[in-house]
């Protein structure tokens, strides 16, 4: 049963977030030592979060190959995170276009766009620094991303933003506290986590406000749209081309990853916090359920 969450006045929330942004923001250009050496034997994501961990293919890899695989998985996740950020900025710019530019709500939208610009630069520099390709999403999803900001609007737009941001947030919180992970990766994750907390507050309140006025048909559409985009987000995180870096056939390794109970658990774990919120907001159910199950966000 859907419960209506209480949200603060929109202007009060925006004013508070603007103050937080002024006090607690980072500049990756100066707050990250991009010239620091990378550690030869340190993974780029924890081994147990690798998409192949626990599979027969994983057992065939030696430690150096496992480290190399995590480097390319990190590059895939970071470059897909950059892709998410670009789509988010387009959605926020559309919102700002029709807003009153005198309001704190509009000012915070611009502030968040500025944050996302810096995060996109940070992710791009991180992928370049580790020496891996910027994989991004598979071609079909990249093309779909060209039209997504034009068709996704209302609560499902903010809900899709939340799924991308909160899954990444869960992964990054885990990694930034894991001392076995490359220090550069940990610092990138720490900056993103600290600044994304403000964005999550902003988006969650917008979802609740906008769902309050939805009738049954509109609710069903937003349930479907949120689930479909969330499946695309999960599917895109690890580009199949990463597996070629350690001599594996991309198609076979990608299929093994999606059959892998450990990776399925990682995706489910990554979405635990946001799925509870979306359920309360009324966005879980109806025509979207097959896509939620295919994404492993719901079992």
């Amino acid at each position: 049963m859907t419960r209506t969450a209480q949200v603060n006045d929109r202007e009060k929330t925006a004013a508070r977030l603007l103050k937080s942004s002024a006090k607690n923001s980072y500049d990756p250009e100066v707050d990250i030592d991009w010239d620091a050496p990378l550690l030869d034997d340190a993974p780029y994501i924890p081994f147990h979060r690798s998409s192949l961990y626990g599979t027969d293919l994983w057992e065939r890899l030696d430690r150096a190959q496992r480290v190399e695989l995590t480097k390319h998985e990190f590059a895939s996740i970071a470059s897909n995170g950059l892709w998410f950020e670009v789509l988010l900025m387009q959605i926020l710019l559309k919102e700002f276009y029709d807003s009153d530019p005198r309001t704190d709500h509009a000012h915070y939208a611009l502030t968040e766009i500025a944050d996302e610009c810096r995060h996109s630069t940070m992710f791009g520099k991180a992928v370049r620094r580790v020496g891996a390709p910027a994989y991004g999403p598979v071609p079909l999803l990249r093309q779909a991303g060209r039209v997504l900001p034009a068709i996704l609007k209302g609560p499902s737009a903010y809900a899709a933003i939340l799924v991308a941001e909160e899954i990444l947030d869960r992964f990054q919180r885990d990694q930034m506290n894991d001392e076995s992970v490359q220090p550069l990766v940990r610092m990138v994750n720490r900056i993103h986590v600290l600044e994304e907390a403000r964005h999550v507050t902003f988006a969650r309140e917008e979802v609740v406000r906008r769902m309050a006025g939805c009738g049954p048909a509109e609710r069903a559409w937003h349930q479907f749209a949120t689930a479909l985009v969330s499946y695309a987000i999960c599917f895109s995180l690890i580009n199949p081309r990463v597996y070629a870096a350690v001599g594996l056939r991309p198609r076979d390794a990608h299929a093994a990853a999606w059959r892998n109970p450990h990776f399925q658990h990682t995706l489910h774990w990554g979405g635990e916090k946001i799925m509870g919120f979306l359920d309360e907001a009324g966005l879980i159910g109806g025509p979207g359920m097959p896509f939620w199950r295919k994404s492993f966000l719901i079992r």
Side-chain angles (χ1 to χ4, degrees), residues 17-35:
L17 294 175
L18 284 168
K19 290 180 181 178
S20 176
S21 298
K23 292 179 180 178
N24 303 297
S25 290
Y26 292 84
D27 182 354
E29 293 285 349
V30 298
D31 290 322
I32 295 177
D33 182 0
W34 295 105
D35 295 323

Side-chain angles (χ1 to χ4, degrees), residues 89-256:
M89 286 187 276
Q90 293 180 62
I91 291 170
L92 288 173
L93 279 170
K94 281 179 58 185
E95 291 275 317
F96 178 79
Y97 191 85
D98 293 320
S99 68
D100 183 344
R102 300 169 299 178
T103 63
D104 282 338
H105 184 262
H107 297 165
Y108 184 72
L110 290 177
T111 300
E112 182 167 343
I113 292 166
D115 286 348
E116 303 300 11
C117 283
R118 287 184 290 101
H119 295 168
S120 296
T121 301
M122 179 174 69
F123 288 150
K125 287 174 72 72
V127 173
R128 183 176 67 186
R129 179 66 185 91
V130 304
Y135 291 100
V138 297
L140 178 61
L141 291 180
R142 183 178 292 277
Q143 293 303 317
R146 296 183 186 278
V147 300
L148 187 66
I151 62 175
L152 199 63
K153 57 188 67 177
S156 54
Y158 281 95
I161 289 168
L162 280 167
V163 172
E165 297 287 15
E166 295 216 30
I167 289 176
L168 282 175
D169 180 83
R170 196 100 197 258
F171 285 9
Q172 291 175 330
R173 285 180 186 272
D174 185 45
Q175 294 170 28
M176 74 183 197
N177 295 316
D178 188 332
E179 295 187 0
S180 72
V181 172
Q182 288 280 350
L184 171 72
V185 172
R186 294 175 62 200
M187 189 60 190
V188 167
N189 290 339
R190 181 171 290 109
I191 288 175
H192 194 247
V193 163
L194 292 174
E195 297 192 342
E196 285 300 320
R198 298 190 293 265
H199 305 174
V200 166
T201 298
F202 184 72
R204 282 190 176 219
E205 292 198 4
E206 288 302 309
V207 167
V208 174
R209 286 191 190 96
R210 294 169 190 234
M211 282 298 291
C214 289
E218 191 177 5
R219 180 181 298 271
W221 159 251
H222 288 300
Q223 289 173 337
F224 173 77
T226 302
L228 177 60
V229 175
S230 297
Y231 169 67
I233 289 167
C234 291
F235 186 82
S236 72
L237 283 174
I238 306 297
N239 189 304
R241 292 190 294 124
V242 305
Y243 303 111
V246 290
L248 300 175
R249 289 186 60 190
R251 179 177 297 182
D252 294 343
H254 188 247

